[in-house]
């Protein structure tokens, strides 16, 4: 049985494999805590083995190594963390107010992302934000459940969709 080789042409494939190599080396060194020559050799051998297997399975590409997002990702994460904190405060407020403050609802929202990766980032950002959950996704919409109508309305305004679209451009 012959395994497939990567479908990425030359420079791009090398860039993705090198990025995976560096990520695995950093993870190995950070998690190991032991830096004897023998363990460093085992670490290097295991990293090279993983790179070889990922090459044979053709799984190292733009989606598995989204290097194109690297410049915009810190700003997006900063915004998302603030959003998560604010949503946590809102959910705590709703809990304190009791059942009368909660008005659960669901709706389908349009997806404005160009790629599958962008769609997944958008759905995950919705789910990471307390009080909202992305429940289902098709080609052009995502089904969202929220604790309150205001949560749905905020998503309908489109700021999160716009920020994810900016991230992937």
């Amino acid at each position: 049985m012959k395994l497939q080789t990567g479908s990425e042409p030359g420079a791009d494939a090398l860039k993705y494999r090198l990025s995976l190599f560096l990520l695995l080396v950093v993870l190995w060194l950070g998690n190991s805590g032991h830096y004897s020559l023998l363990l460093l050799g085992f670490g290097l051998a295991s990293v090279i083995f993983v790179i070889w297997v990922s090459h044979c399975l053709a799984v190292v590409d733009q989606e598995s190594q989204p290097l194109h997002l690297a410049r915009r990702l810190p700003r997006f994460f900063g915004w998302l963390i603030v959003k998560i904190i604010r949503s946590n405060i809102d959910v705590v407020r709703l809990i304190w107010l009791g059942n009368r403050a909660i008005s659960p609802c669901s709706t389908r929202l349009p997806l404005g992302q160009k790629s599958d990766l962008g769609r997944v980032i958008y759905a995950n950002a919705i789910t990471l934000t307390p009080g909202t959950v992305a429940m289902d996704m098709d080609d052009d919409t995502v089904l969202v459940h929220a604790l309150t109508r205001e949560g749905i309305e905020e998503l309908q305004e489109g700021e999160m969709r716009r920020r994810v679209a900016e991230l992937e451009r």
Side-chain angles (χ1 to χ4, degrees):
M1 179 173 139
K2 180 163 172 36
L3 295 173
Q4 275 187 338
T5 58
S7 59
E8 293 283 330
D12 281 345
L14 182 61
K15 176 175 66 173
Y16 296 130
R17 288 187 192 101
L18 181 61
S19 117
L20 180 60
F21 176 82
L22 292 174
L23 176 67
L24 291 173
V25 165
V26 167
L27 287 173
W28 176 272
L29 292 173
N31 288 321
S32 171
H34 299 283
Y35 304 109
S36 68
L37 193 57
L38 179 66
L39 288 178
L40 289 174
F42 285 151
L44 182 62
S46 67
V47 167
I48 290 171
F49 178 72
V50 169
I51 298 295
W52 176 75
V53 168
S54 65
H55 168 74
C56 290
L57 296 175
V59 294
V60 180
D61 59 7
Q62 186 174 1
E63 283 194 0
S64 68
Q65 296 290 306
L67 301 175
H68 61 287
L69 301 180
R71 288 181 292 125
R72 295 182 197 98
L73 210 52
R75 184 174 180 196
F76 177 76
F77 277 152
W79 172 82
L80 186 59
I81 288 169
V82 169
K83 187 81 177 142
I84 289 170
I85 292 169
R86 287 181 182 163
S87 295
N88 270 302
I89 293 168
D90 286 344
V91 169
V92 168
R93 183 183 56 79
L94 291 172
I95 292 169
W96 283 340
L97 293 174
N99 287 342
R100 68 182 182 276
I102 298 173
S103 55
C105 54
S106 297
T107 191
R108 286 209 167 266
L109 298 173
L111 289 168
Q113 290 66 39
K114 297 178 263 184
S115 67
D116 288 341
L117 180 62
R119 291 180 183 96
V120 169
I121 290 172
Y122 180 57
N124 284 336
I126 289 171
T127 300
L128 282 171
T129 308
T132 56
V133 176
M135 300 187 308
D136 185 36
M137 187 171 29
D138 57 27
D139 290 338
D140 55 353
T141 63
V142 60
L143 177 61
V144 177
H145 178 272
L147 288 177
T148 62
R149 183 72 197 147
E150 292 80 25
I152 293 287
E153 289 169 355
E154 186 176 339
L155 285 170
Q156 287 173 332
E157 289 172 7
E159 180 182 10
M160 186 176 289
R161 183 176 46 247
R162 181 184 55 78
R163 287 190 181 259
V164 174
E166 285 176 8
L167 178 66
E168 70 175 341
R169 79 180 146 100

